[in-house]
Amino acid sequence: MKHPLQLLAPVVLALLLTGCNPNELGIKVRPQSNTPGSTSGSGNGASVAITTKSGVAMVYVPAGSFTMGSDQGSPEEAPPHKVSVPAFLMDQVPVTNAMFEKAQLPNPSHWQESPKQPVERVRWRDAKQYCNERSRLEGLKPCYDEKTPEWDCDYAANGYRLPTEAEWEYAARGTSDGPYDFGSKDALRQYAWFAENSEAKTHPVGEKRPNSRGLYDMYGNVSVWCEDVYDPKYYATSPVDDPHGPPSPGKDVKRVLRGGNWKVSADLCRATFRQGERTGNTDACFSTDYCGLRCVRRIKPEELAQLQTNKNKG
Amino acid sequence: MQNGNRRALRLGANAGLRLAALVIMLFGVLRSSADPTPLRRNLKALPYKIAWECYVNGNWEICVMNADGSGKVNLTKTPGVNEHYPQISPNGKQIAFSVDNGEGREAVRTLWVMDIHGKHRRQIADHAREPFWSPDSKTLGYLPQEYAPFNVVDFYTKGMMFYDLATGKTTPHPNTEKLRHLYNPGFSPNGKWIVATVHAGMGFSHSIVLIEAHGDRILDLKIPGCRPRLSPDNKHIAWGPEDHELAIAPIDLASDTPTVGTWSLHIKDEKNKIYHINWSPDNRYVAFSRGPDGEGDLSKKGSFQAACEIIGVYAGGWNLYAVSAERTGAIDMEKATEADVTQLTTDGNSNKQPAWFSTRQSGRK
């Protein structure tokens, strides 16, 4: 039996979709022009674009279930398995040079011609530091404990963090069961910068079409760090509910890197393609110039609804 | 009975052989400790000392030892004050260094100068890093931190300043507005250039550059890697082409556009990282640090997390070594013997950033 608030959630979301109102977190909610008509998963409502207190555009991705992985790709993408993720906000674009510098962190990017180019050559821990800095900028509780060796993640905190691998794939696949949420590989040029069209460099974010959730550069430009430890066999044992990846082995850890990038072929831009990358934490001059990031933060539909209610009362 | 005699004889012979082997072994041990290799002997005879950053009782300190590794002394002895990155003035009389206070982004790195005996400290700058001396020992250059909140990454710098030790006045480098993300700077002994590494700044992805000391020219030396050091005679450059390599090559600093020649010495270590190469005052030796890969140890007070070659990051298992800079060819650290390399420290307690100085100049015994 559903809680009354759960029954009200779609109504509240519909209310949210009708306006562009700042709430007490400084979030402006506006309708997402490219919201999906239906989803391959059981997403409870549509994606919504918002702007955070520090001016970052994010997309509300409703909670839902989907089939993660594929038996049509590489062995590590199998087996396809059912996964559920709670609702979350995800950056509409990868973190840019300008966004990274706003957090007063040393920008390691190879390409800095434009402030709108995505930041790259980011070590895994530096990506997490950016998340914490942005949380502090917005008065949110940082997710990462900087005093632990691997900067342990408090998933219950309301601050920013890297997406889990499941969150990333759920956001990327949007309405589709296939390898690209927009349909066939032939359309990839319209959605992504990858080896065939990038001219061997990154490009300002948001220049290509967004995916069905309204997220830009999900299939190309830079790959993004995820929170999970990379294990090619993880899908065989992954839990259904909100998987966070396998435990860290402590040494020589690889973390999940997701999404295509300027350097790779169309096949490696697939939404189900998985790769692990050394974190770069022991490297003074990390030179992997396709490693970027994109933040997420957990938010419940009730939280959005409550914020909207407070606004209306105010 | 005959069998018994043979057995007794065999036992006696075995005991004799064992005794002889023991004597030979003991002789060898005694000989090796009493009669060092020519390299260690040569280092011992030098009128030089080496300062470096050491980690003693949960605290960063600056230590000093003889050039052969003997006579280690904790120069600073300041529990609770984290000193590192010692840089000796060319006249051998002063040491510039950095001090970190605080944790995380609230930490503040300050720059200081003291005399070669560790006395008469004075602060030069705050939110700054990586001091370097002018050839006349009268000016201290440094790199301001890029933003006020701390970050341990070494290229977190913007601009370049010069502090006049006589007047206490600070002036910017004429091209300071364009200088960004430099690290490990050092004056060329002829005073014309400042050599440094740049990462993700000034239009460079990653390069070792020469910056005109009093102008706005910037030359890419087109050699891979980082952390260059110019020899006191202006003739050679030593640097780390990558994490597991060090190299020495000629450089024509008298030229209007200096270039680096063919590598004369190439030190390799497949297993360990090798870093922080630095010259002896007579250009004949280099010291460097060596140890396993790592990302720091937060259980060590005053330490940050990053690649352990970075200043302020505890480097477990790291020690200092010296080799002849006059050698040519390659040295493989995994196969090197005492004839090739002299190990200067042994405690593995984050020994980094060796800096030589002459006791004749400094007056320090």
Side-chain angles (χ1 to χ4, degrees), chain A residues 64 109 184 211:
Chain A
S109 299
S184 95
N211 80 347

Side-chain angles (χ1 to χ4, degrees), chain A residues 110-183:
Chain A
H110 179 128
W111 291 283
Q112 299 189 32
E113 292 81 9
S114 165
K116 291 181 79 174
Q117 277 171 296
V119 68
E120 21 81 20
R121 297 201 300 192
V122 184
R123 297 176 196 82
W124 187 70
R125 189 181 291 120
D126 295 341
K128 295 172 79 140
Q129 183 163 30
Y130 170 81
C131 296
N132 270 5
E133 290 301 319
R134 214 167 95 189
S135 300
R136 291 185 192 109
L137 270 174
E138 298 189 10
L140 302 172
K141 185 186 176 192
C143 290
Y144 296 117
D145 181 352
E146 299 177 14
K147 292 186 176 176
T148 56
E150 299 203 43
W151 288 35
D152 298 342
C153 182
D154 175 5
Y155 286 90
N158 65 358
Y160 296 101
R161 60 172 170 77
L162 301 177
T164 63
E165 186 172 19
E167 287 169 336
W168 187 91
E169 189 169 320
Y170 177 60
R173 295 181 80 162
T175 59
S176 170
D177 280 331
Y180 309 97
D181 87 322
F182 44 79

Side-chain angles (χ1 to χ4, degrees), chain B residues 122-140:
Chain B
R122 63 168 154 151
Q123 189 176 337
I124 301 301
D126 58 16
H127 296 93
R129 47 187 70 191
E130 299 175 53
F132 58 103
W133 289 95
S134 64
D136 62 6
S137 302
K138 292 179 178 174
T139 303
L140 197 62

Side-chain angles (χ1 to χ4, degrees), chain A residues 56-296:
Chain A
V56 178
M58 297 189 84
V59 170
Y60 174 75
V61 181
S65 302
F66 74 114
T67 302
M68 187 173 183
S70 167
D71 51 13
Q72 307 293 311
S74 311
E76 63 270 21
E77 295 171 43
H81 56 291
K82 192 94 168 171
V83 160
S84 297
V85 291
F88 59 95
L89 295 170
M90 177 178 260
D91 287 350
Q92 195 168 41
V93 296
V95 172
T96 62
N97 287 326
M99 290 161 71
F100 202 77
E101 288 173 24
K102 190 173 180 180
Q104 298 191 314
L105 291 166
N107 183 350
S109 299
H110 179 128
W111 291 283
Q112 299 189 32
E113 292 81 9
S114 165
K116 291 181 79 174
Q117 277 171 296
V119 68
E120 21 81 20
R121 297 201 300 192
V122 184
R123 297 176 196 82
W124 187 70
R125 189 181 291 120
D126 295 341
K128 295 172 79 140
Q129 183 163 30
Y130 170 81
C131 296
N132 270 5
E133 290 301 319
R134 214 167 95 189
S135 300
R136 291 185 192 109
L137 270 174
E138 298 189 10
L140 302 172
K141 185 186 176 192
C143 290
Y144 296 117
D145 181 352
E146 299 177 14
K147 292 186 176 176
T148 56
E150 299 203 43
W151 288 35
D152 298 342
C153 182
D154 175 5
Y155 286 90
N158 65 358
Y160 296 101
R161 60 172 170 77
L162 301 177
T164 63
E165 186 172 19
E167 287 169 336
W168 187 91
E169 189 169 320
Y170 177 60
R173 295 181 80 162
T175 59
S176 170
D177 280 331
Y180 309 97
D181 87 322
F182 44 79
S184 95
K185 184 164 77 174
D186 299 337
L188 185 60
R189 283 171 168 269
Q190 297 170 47
Y191 291 85
W193 296 108
F194 62 114
E196 285 176 24
N197 65 355
S198 70
E199 297 175 323
K201 61 181 183 183
T202 63
H203 290 261
V205 299
E207 289 188 343
K208 295 289 184 183
R209 287 188 182 178
N211 80 347
S212 58
R213 292 198 189 278
L215 296 160
Y216 293 81
D217 297 284
M218 286 296 276
Y219 288 88
N221 218 355
V222 288
S223 303
V224 296
W225 285 115
C226 293
E227 184 62 32
D228 309 35
V229 168
Y230 177 70
D231 176 357
K233 295 175 180 169
Y234 179 63
Y235 282 6
T237 56
S238 169
V240 172
D241 289 329
D242 193 18
H244 295 172
S248 170
K251 272 192 93 176
D252 299 324
V253 185
K254 282 186 173 181
R255 297 282 170 172
V256 171
L257 199 64
R258 280 303 208 107
N261 63 66
W262 62 270
K263 210 170 189 171
V264 300
S265 66
D267 189 51
L268 305 192
C269 296
R270 288 179 295 107
T272 55
F273 180 74
R274 306 180 70 211
Q275 63 175 319
E277 181 72 47
R278 295 284 298 272
T279 59
N281 292 344
T282 65
D283 189 345
C285 298
F286 189 58
S287 58
T288 310
D289 50 11
Y290 51 84
C291 283
L293 77 146
R294 190 190 285 262
C295 299
V296 298

